[in-house]
Amino acid sequence: MTVAATALSPYDVRLACRNGTWKEASTAGVCEGYVQANLIILPERHAADFRALCARNPVPCPLLGETKPGDPTIPSHLANDCDIRTDAPRYNVYRNGKFVETKRDIKDEWKEDSVGFLVGCSFSFEAALVKGGYMPRQIEIKRNVPMYKTKVPLCAAGALTGNMVVSMRPYPPSAIETVRDLTRPFIRAHGEPVAWGSEGAAALGIDDPTGANPDFGEASEVREGEVPVYWACGVTPQSVVMASKIEGVVLGHAPGHMLVLDMRDEDVCK
Amino acid sequence: MTVAATALSPYDVRLACRNGTWKEASTAGVCEGYVQANLIILPERHAADFRALCARNPVPCPLLGETKPGDPTIPSHLANDCDIRTDAPRYNVYRNGKFVETKRDIKDEWKEDSVGFLVGCSFSFEAALVKGGYMPRQIEIKRNVPMYKTKVPLCAAGALTGNMVVSMRPYPPSAIETVRDLTRPFIRAHGEPVAWGSEGAAALGIDDPTGANPDFGEASEVREGEVPVYWACGVTPQSVVMASKIEGVVLGHAPGHMLVLDMRDEDVCK
């Protein structure tokens, strides 16, 4: 990313998204120290099931907050003057459980019964990894993080079910215990990894542990002497929308293009 | 079970276990309306990891309470005058991650650094199923509930990892939505099922969906026109002990032979 992007405040980023001037390939590494959120916007009739899904699956779906039905602003302790229809860089649009397009804003898609949910994101622990000397590869190579669908079923909640999505960062086996320790405190940002190495990839049902061919985001490089390390990912709710064949319009952020909040990273450690 | 067993109070059951006079094949259906708990007793060095494991996997591992290190009594709001070394019907003993024997009490195994954890049990929602007209098969045929190891990995927590264990009750497909609704409120007793039918069995990695050959408990009968319905099970921590190869002595209840508490079933719905 550019130097300018790293010097921006969360509100600057939200306004740049709102004004259509935001051009970065991902929000990874942007606004160090501030929480970034996954977005999922559902018809109100699925709101109770979604809260239950998060309560039953808190590692992939750590719920940070939600909007009132039909009101696109979010509670001010999360972000001040924030309109979730415009303030993320890009959005995915789903109709009847199928992905149809990516948009820069979703003002035309927002309904009177839309409820927006904010879910924690692994980008919150990346500053801790960088500070510890464990630079996430996708920041180093200036790409979006690679994300993979898994065969691990969530605990179903009413009409909602599906499989876990994970993000991947490669590390040498000798670094894994430290990387686990560094990310464990971030309990509302997926916390420690769920699996690692070829055995972990097999347990998750990921056929290709090389970092190539991700289901979301961009390919990464697992270099010689490294293994893939997988964290639960807040794209999981979008996988749920497809698996559960939710009728009507559902909206989400575009993976890797997060809503940047005014919350601090330490706020997701409790 | 005998009529006498159903008329007993939780304290009567605990005293019968303590005195060696308890002879039932399982505690399913005993003390209707009162919570039964799974037990896992770990060396104190694993206590923080176990709390994190429960927080990350609340459906299989809903934590109800714990003892102080070395003190085998449990908080009185859970059960009055309760010694977890003697008051469950039977115990499993693990040494260095391997199951070695079943005992009637574990007074000789309890250590100064032992910490006992109480985990919610699906027996708590069985009264609601019976009342709704959905008698669990294993109560009808007077057997222990069948339990199966799955291939679904838990979200790892420190030294602890492993796969989910589930219990199975067969129902006709037309009953599944009602059975889901009836068990959903019991959020600290595994809540609604995690999977059902042949597709669910496949997702969990259970090869035999007939109710025969359970890994714990006793075989059940999936009759014509019925499918297996799977709930997460509090035997999961014992599977974790084996998968994580925990050094030293770990103790658990014998599956299906639970510690009966003074808490009411409605207390696990919040």
Side-chain angles (χ1 to χ4, degrees):
Chain A
M1 82 209 57
T2 60
V3 173
T6 63
L8 295 171
S9 75
Y11 191 49
D12 292 333
V13 175
R14 295 198 297 271
L15 287 181
C17 294
R18 197 182 299 180
N19 298 330
T21 58
W22 181 259
K23 306 289 183 199
E24 302 294 330
S26 158
T27 52
V30 168
C31 298
E32 190 181 303
Y34 290 93
V35 169
Q36 302 191 15
N38 298 275
L39 262 183
I40 191 87
I41 299 165
L42 294 160
E44 190 182 3
R45 64 183 180 280
H46 293 300
D49 283 351
F50 189 74
R51 287 180 207 114
L53 186 83
C54 293
R56 283 166 68 83
N57 302 278
V59 176
C61 306
L63 190 56
L64 299 177
E66 62 181 87
T67 73
K68 296 191 182 87
D71 176 357
T73 63
I74 65 173
S76 59
H77 73 278
L78 298 173
N80 196 37
D81 181 24
C82 176
D83 184 331
I84 62 168
R85 301 171 304 174
T86 55
D87 290 5
R90 290 185 208 169
Y91 298 85
N92 280 350
V93 181
Y94 296 85
R95 294 191 207 283
N96 300 322
K98 292 209 169 112
F99 169 77
V100 286
E101 61 181 319
T102 295
K103 286 190 164 184
R104 294 303 295 255
D105 73 68
I106 48 168
K107 281 186 285 192
D108 294 346
E109 304 288 352
W110 182 263
K111 310 284 185 204
E112 276 186 17
D113 71 340
S114 292
V115 181
F117 293 93
L118 301 157
V119 168
C121 170
S122 59
F123 292 172
S124 290
F125 58 60
E126 292 192 328
L129 288 171
V130 172
K131 200 172 167 189
Y134 298 89
M135 172 70 81
R137 179 63 35 78
Q138 89 279 357
I139 297 181
E140 181 196 326
I141 62 176
K142 298 184 174 58
R143 287 192 200 153
N144 197 347
V145 69
M147 293 162 267
Y148 295 87
K149 295 175 185 174
T150 73
K151 291 181 184 154
V152 177
L154 300 181
C155 295
L160 303 179
T161 189
N163 288 355
M164 190 186 294
V165 175
V166 294
S167 64
M168 191 281 282
R169 296 160 188 80
Y171 288 103
S174 61
I176 290 174
E177 282 308 309
T178 308
V179 163
R180 295 181 75 202
D181 290 344
L182 286 169
T183 57
R184 186 170 298 126
F186 294 84
I187 53 175
R188 289 199 293 161
H190 311 304
E192 65 182 280
V194 291
W196 50 89
S198 54
E199 204 176 317
L204 298 176
I206 295 173
D207 294 331
D208 180 354
T210 66
N213 305 310
D215 295 302
F216 307 98
E218 292 180 278
S220 189
E221 298 166 359
V222 180
R223 296 174 185 158
E224 200 174 324
E226 293 179 338
V227 297
V229 183
Y230 300 101
W231 281 264
C233 176
V235 173
T236 301
Q238 297 192 39
S239 162
V240 166
V241 166
M242 292 183 274
S244 307
K245 304 182 177 68
I246 300 294
E247 283 185 21
V249 175
V250 175
L251 309 161
H253 69 290
H257 301 270
M258 320 304 292
L259 182 66
V260 184
L261 305 182
D262 297 337
M263 279 177 87
R264 304 287 309 196
D265 286 343
E266 56 266 28
D267 296 331
V268 296
C269 297
K270 59 195 173 194
Chain B
M1 82 211 53
T2 59
V3 173
T6 63
L8 295 171
S9 75
Y11 191 50
D12 291 334
V13 174
R14 295 198 297 273
L15 287 181
C17 294
R18 198 182 297 179
N19 298 331
T21 58
W22 181 259
K23 306 288 181 198
E24 302 294 329
S26 159
T27 51
V30 167
C31 299
E32 190 181 301
Y34 290 94
V35 170
Q36 303 192 15
N38 297 276
L39 264 183
I40 191 86
I41 299 164
L42 295 158
E44 190 181 2
R45 66 183 178 280
H46 293 300
D49 284 350
F50 188 74
R51 286 180 208 114
L53 186 83
C54 293
R56 283 165 67 83
N57 302 278
V59 176
C61 306
L63 190 55
L64 300 177
E66 61 181 90
T67 73
K68 296 192 183 88
D71 176 356
T73 62
I74 65 173
S76 60
H77 72 278
L78 299 173
N80 195 39
D81 181 26
C82 176
D83 184 331
I84 63 168
R85 302 172 304 174
T86 54
D87 290 5
R90 292 185 207 169
Y91 297 85
N92 279 351
V93 181
Y94 297 85
R95 294 189 207 284
N96 300 320
K98 293 209 169 111
F99 169 76
V100 286
E101 61 182 319
T102 295
K103 285 190 163 186
R104 294 301 297 254
D105 73 70
I106 48 168
K107 282 185 285 192
D108 294 347
E109 303 288 351
W110 181 264
K111 310 283 184 203
E112 276 186 17
D113 71 341
S114 293
V115 180
F117 293 93
L118 300 159
V119 168
C121 169
S122 59
F123 292 172
S124 291
F125 58 59
E126 292 193 327
L129 288 171
V130 172
K131 200 173 164 188
Y134 298 90
M135 172 70 81
R137 179 65 34 81
Q138 88 280 356
I139 297 182
E140 181 197 327
I141 62 175
K142 299 184 171 58
R143 288 192 198 151
N144 197 347
V145 69
M147 292 163 267
Y148 293 86
K149 297 177 184 173
T150 73
K151 289 180 186 154
V152 177
L154 300 181
C155 295
L160 303 180
T161 190
N163 289 355
M164 190 187 293
V165 175
V166 293
S167 64
M168 189 281 282
R169 294 161 189 80
Y171 288 103
S174 60
I176 290 175
E177 282 309 309
T178 309
V179 162
R180 295 180 75 203
D181 290 345
L182 286 169
T183 57
R184 184 171 298 124
F186 295 84
I187 53 177
R188 290 199 292 161
H190 312 303
E192 64 182 282
V194 293
W196 50 90
S198 54
E199 205 175 315
L204 298 175
I206 295 174
D207 295 330
D208 180 355
T210 66
N213 306 311
D215 295 303
F216 306 98
E218 292 180 278
S220 189
E221 297 166 1
V222 181
R223 297 176 186 158
E224 200 174 323
E226 293 180 337
V227 296
V229 183
Y230 300 100
W231 281 263
C233 177
V235 172
T236 300
Q238 297 192 39
S239 162
V240 166
V241 166
M242 292 184 273
S244 307
K245 304 182 177 70
I246 300 295
E247 283 185 21
V249 174
V250 175
L251 309 162
H253 69 291
H257 301 269
M258 319 305 292
L259 182 66
V260 184
L261 304 183
D262 297 337
M263 279 175 89
R264 303 289 308 199
D265 287 342
E266 57 265 28
D267 296 331
V268 296
C269 296
K270 58 196 175 194

